[in-house]
Amino acid sequence: MNFMSIHIDKEKCIGCGKCIIVCPGSLIYQDNNGKAFIKYPKDCWGCTACLKQCSVQAIKYYLGLDMGGGGGYLTIKKEAEYLDWYITTKEGKTKKIRINSKEANKY
Amino acid sequence: MDFKLEELNTDILIIGGGTAGCFSAITAAEQSNFKILIVEKANIMRSGCLAAGVNAINAYIGKGETPESFVEYVKKDSEEVVREDLVYSIAKELNTVIKKIEDLGLPILKDKDGKYIQRGKRSIKINGENIKPILANAVYKHSNIKVLNKINIIDYIVKNGEVIGAIGFSLEEPKIIGIYAKVVICTTGGAAGLYKPNNPGFSRHKMWYCPFNTGAGYAMGIRAGAEMTSFEMRFIALRCKDTIAPTGTVAQGIGAKQINGKGEAYIHKYGKPTTPIRLYATLMENKNGNGPCYLKTKGITKEQEEELFKAYLNMAPAQTLKWLEHNRGPSIENIEIEGTEPYIVGGHTASGYWVDINRRTTLKGLYAAGDVAGGSPKKYVSGCFVEGKIAALSAIKEIAHKKTPKKDNKILKKYLKKIQQFFRNENSLISIEELEESMQKVMDEYAGGISQGYVINKNKLNIAEKRIDELIDLAYTLQAKDLHDLLFIHEIIDRLYVCKVLVQHLKARKETRWKCYQENYDYPKKDDKNWKKYVNSVYKSGVVKIIFRDLIGRDEFYEHSYR
Ligand SMILES: Cc1cc2nc3c(=O)[nH]c(=O)nc-3n(C[C@H](O)[C@H](O)[C@H](O)COP(=O)(O)OP(=O)(O)OC[C@H]3O[C@@H](n4cnc5c(N)ncnc54)[C@H](O)[C@@H]3O)c2cc1C
Ligand code: SF4
Ligand code: SF4
C-alpha cells in the first residue's frame, strides 16, 4: 500500500480544475486527458482545500505512514451549508461527521 | 524558456493575499477610491495560514480585560522584549476587527444574551473552517480591488531608496511582471521550512506553519536593506505528535493538563508557565526519561470527544483522521505532544520588519503587516487584521497627493536575465531537493533545531554561518526545468537569506532570554542588566550588520530617523 497524502481518482475526476485553482501550494496539475493529478505529493500540507472543492469526491486524503497513517482515508462532500466528512478505516468502515458551517465550535 | 514581459500600475500594491493582506485591501477599498492590487502566489480563496481553517480567535479583549492588561500579558509572556507601543495599538482595535469579520460571516459562539463565549481570557470560539473564503469573497465584492493569483513575487523595485513596486513571475505561463505602485504593503506571512521538520520523510510538509510561506517578504526586505528585528526570538510550537495539530483546543477548550509518562503533571516544576516554558518543560521531561508527555484527555465524555472530532476537522483534519482510522479517540487515549522545528513568525513571536506605529518599515514606500511584521508577539488572526487595517489607513493618507512612479523597462530585463539563467544551469550538480535538505540539516544541527534540543552555541553558529553562505552561492547554480522549479528555487533562496540573518541574531544576543526559542549554552542565564533591548539588523553588500536598540514603552512614540 502506497500511502499518498492526497489521492485523486482519475475515473471519477471530471476535469473541472477547481482543486488546481485552490491548492495553497499549487501542487495539483492537469494531465494530457484533462484529469487532475498531484505532482508534488510530498509537498502537500494536508489542508483538504482541494477535497472541499471537488463536487464528485474524486479526492481522498491519507495520512503518511511516517505520521502513523494506516491506510484509512478521508473524503468530503458539500451539501448546502453543511460539510459532510467521511472517515473510512482500512477495513472499510465509514463514519460520517456532519458540520454546519454556520455554527461555531463548542471548543 | 521564452518569457513575456508585462508592466502594470496601481496605487496600492499588496503582496500576499492572506489574513493581513485581504483585510488591508478591504480597509483601503472601504476608505478610499484608490486602485488596489493584491498579488498572491497561490489563490486568495485558500492561501496561507488559514487554508484549512483556524479554531479560535486567539487575540481578543475578553471580560475583565483591557488593552492595557493585554499589553502586560504579552510583555510578561515574552520576557519583556517586545514593542509595547505596537502591541498596544493592536490591543485597542482587536474587538473592532473581530466584529467586522463576524459581520462578514464568521460564526462566533455566543451565549443566550448574544455575548461571545470565551475560551480563556483572550480567546473566543468560532467555526473558522471557512474564514479564508469569507475574507476572499469580501475582497471580491470591491470593484476597486484587483487580484492577481498565481504570481510569485521575488523582489521589490527600489529607486533612490524608495520602494516603488515589485517583480514577480507567473506560475501559469512564462511571464515576468513588474508592478509599479505609489505604496507597497508586504503581507507575505512568516517563514517555514528553515529547519529539518518533525516528519522529515514523506510527510515533510505536514508541519504546523504554512509550508508555502517561505519568508519571501523577509528576504525581499533583507536584500533591499530594510531593518529587521528579533529574528533570534524563534517560534517553536507545542503540538500533537505526528499530526502537528494545534493543542489549544484541547488544553484550553476542555482544560486538559500536560502530564508525563508517569501520569504526573509537570509544568509547575519549571517556573511560571509561559508559552516557552510549557514547551521547555515537555522537552526536559523527555530528556530526563519521564516521557512521553501528553495532554490528559482519557476519560472525557463521548460528547466531548465528538465535539473535538469536529473542532479538529475545522482546522487540522489530520488529527481527526488519525483518531478515527485507528478507532482510538481522545476519550480512550491521551494525546501525545511534542515541540516542532523552529519557525520565524512575527504573529507568534517578535521576528520581522522593524516598523513604526503605522507599520511603515525603514524603507520609504513600504509597509509590513501580519506575521511578516516584527515587534509584537501574539497577534494571531485578529492582530494580523488590525495590522492590515493600520497599514492601509496610513498608506491611503500617505499617497493622497503622490504620483505613480515611472516604469523602467531595464529592471524587468535585468530580472529576465537572472531568471533565464536558472533554465540555463544545465550542468548543475545538485538537485533542488538536495539543497533544501542540506539547508534544513545545517540549521537543525548547527543553529539549534530539534536534534539539538533547540540549544545553540557560538562555535556551532559559526559553522552554520559558513555553510549557509556556501549554500546561497550554490542556490544560484540550481537548474529549473519548469515554472514550478523556478518557484522552488526562489523559495529556497528566500529561506537561505532568512537563515543568514537568523544566525547573526542568534549570535548577537549574549544571554538566554527565552527557553528553547533562544537558548544559548555559552550564556545560559537571562541578563536583564545588559540585554533588555532589541537585536536588529540591516543587510548590506553581503554583510549582516547588527544594531542594538533600547526598549520602546507602551506610551512612547517611536519614529524612523529618515522621516
Ligand atoms: C495551522 C495554523 C493554525 C492557526 N490557528 C490559529 C487560531 O486558531 N487562532 C488564531 O488566532 N491564530 C491562529 N493561527 C495564526 C494565524 O493564522 C496567523 O498568524 C495569521 O493567519 C497570519 O496572517 P498573515 O497575513 O501574516 O499570513 P497568511 O495569512 O499566511 O498570508 C500570507 C500570504 O502571502 C502569500 N505569499 C507568500 N509569499 C508570497 C510571495 N512571494 N508572493 C506572493 N504571495 C506570497 C501566501 O500565499 C499567503 O496567502 C494559526 C496559524 C497556523 C499556521
Ligand atoms: S490537501 Fe491542501 S496542500 Fe494538499 S493538495 Fe490538497 S489543497 Fe494542496
Ligand atoms: S476538483 Fe475533482 S473533478 Fe475537479 S479537477 Fe479536481 S479532482 Fe477533478
Side-chain angles (χ1 to χ4, degrees), chain B residues 295-357:
Chain B
L295 278 170
K296 190 177 176 205
T297 54
K298 218 161 133 177
I300 60 170
T301 67
K302 283 285 162 195
E303 290 77 45
Q304 283 179 310
E305 182 173 82
E306 285 294 321
E307 289 302 328
L308 283 182
F309 290 155
K310 287 190 188 173
Y312 275 91
L313 288 174
N314 284 338
M315 61 160 169
Q319 187 61 38
T320 306
L321 174 54
K322 188 169 181 189
W323 279 325
L324 285 172
E325 78 160 290
H326 298 293
N327 220 340
R328 306 185 76 83
S331 69
I332 306 172
E333 252 178 23
N334 293 326
I335 303 169
E336 193 179 337
I337 49 177
E338 66 179 332
T340 65
E341 75 276 19
Y343 305 99
I344 296 294
V345 185
H348 275 67
T349 49
S351 325
Y353 280 92
W354 179 249
V355 292
D356 70 6
I357 197 79

Side-chain angles (χ1 to χ4, degrees), chain B residues 141-308:
Chain B
K141 284 217 178 83
H142 291 280
S143 56
N144 51 338
I145 309 179
K146 223 183 118 185
V147 181
L148 287 182
N149 289 311
K150 309 268 179 196
I151 303 280
N152 186 58
I153 296 293
I154 55 179
D155 261 324
Y156 298 123
I157 304 174
V158 186
K159 199 151 199 187
N160 304 327
E162 183 171 352
V163 174
I164 56 165
I167 302 276
F169 63 86
S170 166
L171 284 169
E172 295 179 319
E173 54 175 326
K175 185 169 84 179
I176 301 171
I177 65 171
I179 305 148
Y180 292 81
K182 292 177 183 164
V183 66
V184 178
I185 303 177
C186 178
T187 47
T188 51
L194 308 170
Y195 285 81
K196 191 169 168 180
N198 289 97
N199 305 308
F202 181 80
S203 300
R204 64 186 182 191
H205 266 185
K206 303 298 187 300
M207 51 178 59
W208 167 70
Y209 200 65
C210 174
F212 315 116
N213 285 356
T214 49
Y218 300 132
M220 294 189 282
I222 291 165
R223 290 190 293 261
E227 187 168 333
M228 295 287 160
T229 189
S230 308
F231 270 40
E232 76 281 10
M233 189 188 185
R234 306 174 299 172
F235 181 63
I236 301 161
L238 189 63
R239 290 293 177 263
C240 302
K241 186 156 187 314
D242 299 328
T243 58
I244 319 297
T247 48
T249 311
V250 179
Q252 292 189 321
I254 62 166
K257 290 228 153 39
Q258 281 175 235
I259 55 166
N260 64 20
K262 297 175 180 157
E264 305 156 349
Y266 57 85
I267 299 293
H268 61 275
K269 291 196 273 181
Y270 299 87
K272 62 175 182 182
T274 60
T275 313
I277 289 297
R278 290 176 180 281
L279 167 71
Y280 174 74
T282 306
L283 204 72
M284 293 319 280
E285 287 297 297
N286 273 301
K287 199 171 164 187
N288 297 334
N290 294 332
C293 295
Y294 300 98
L295 278 170
K296 190 177 176 205
T297 54
K298 218 161 133 177
I300 60 170
T301 67
K302 283 285 162 195
E303 290 77 45
Q304 283 179 310
E305 182 173 82
E306 285 294 321
E307 289 302 328
L308 283 182

